[in-house]
Amino acid sequence: MDADILLFLQNTVRNPVLTPLVKEITALGNGAVFWVLVSIVMIVSAKTRKIGITSILALLVSLLINNIILKNLVARVRPYEVIEGLVPLIRKPWDYSFPSGHTGSSFASAWVLYRRLPKRFGIPALVLAGLIGLSRLYLGVHYPTDVLFGVVSGIGSGCIAMLLVQVIIDKRAKSGV
């Protein structure tokens, strides 16, 4: 089914107008740089500092779970190496396919933003995270299940980060720091 979806996207959805836009969207997820920058901007302001720190922590949790542990444990080869006729539209990534690190990190940060900021900021963050995940399919560098798990692990990473920050706040409050 993964192969059918990717070949459908390649043969039906890909087009010269959409491709440059999708490449730009996927670039926002490269190294989670966009999400790191958003987090740093929030850290600068005392009003959003805790949210920015939580977002950075969520990105670190996602990096650990997805890119350091799961990619190497599962060691799933990229779809363009297995699916006959599938052509990636960007430079071939050097690491394994499962799970999608772009999607995981995007949803890790976006979930924190969605849960902690007004919805007028949180909803666009989730939409962008979703577009980054979909871009990985369009470009032919991930299986749908890679992206789906990236969504789940990203949201989980965001939840873990929010929980850890709350535990730290609670401990500080109890100790009077």
Side-chain angles (χ1 to χ4, degrees):
M1 188 157 86
D2 274 347
D4 291 339
I5 292 169
L6 292 174
L7 290 172
F8 170 80
L9 289 171
Q10 175 176 281
N11 298 330
T12 310
V13 179
R14 284 184 183 177
N15 67 72
V17 174
L18 195 54
T19 297
L21 177 62
V22 173
K23 287 180 178 181
E24 291 299 319
I25 290 169
T26 215
L28 292 173
N30 290 350
V33 172
F34 173 80
W35 302 106
V36 169
L37 292 175
V38 167
S39 301
I40 289 170
V41 167
M42 288 191 302
I43 289 170
V44 170
S45 169
K47 187 176 178 181
T48 56
R49 186 166 295 135
K50 184 172 87 169
I51 300 167
I53 291 168
T54 306
S55 178
I56 291 286
L57 182 58
L59 290 167
L60 290 171
V61 171
S62 177
L63 175 69
L64 176 66
I65 291 170
N66 292 324
N67 294 69
I68 296 173
I69 296 173
L70 287 177
K71 277 190 184 280
N72 294 304
L73 187 66
V74 175
R76 187 179 198 185
V77 297
R78 295 281 175 166
Y80 51 79
E81 295 176 13
V82 177
I83 301 170
E84 188 175 328
L86 183 64
V87 178
L89 294 181
I90 57 173
R91 187 181 51 181
K92 295 177 179 179
W94 56 270
D95 60 350
Y96 293 114
S97 190
F98 182 90
S100 168
H102 277 70
T103 308
S105 62
S106 295
F107 272 92
S109 181
W111 188 251
V112 170
L113 303 182
Y114 174 74
R115 298 290 297 170
R116 298 293 185 241
L117 289 174
K119 297 305 177 227
R120 70 178 190 266
F121 300 113
I123 290 172
L126 281 179
V127 169
L128 179 58
L131 290 173
I132 290 170
L134 290 173
S135 75
R136 308 305 284 167
L137 301 175
Y138 180 97
L139 297 170
V141 295
H142 276 291
Y143 296 95
T145 47
D146 299 342
V147 170
L148 181 60
F149 190 82
V151 171
V152 172
S153 68
I155 290 172
S157 296
C159 290
I160 290 168
M162 288 185 287
L163 181 64
L164 288 173
V165 167
Q166 192 58 51
V167 166
I168 291 167
I169 289 169
D170 291 349
K171 281 189 177 191
R172 284 182 149 191
K174 280 186 179 179
S175 68
V177 176

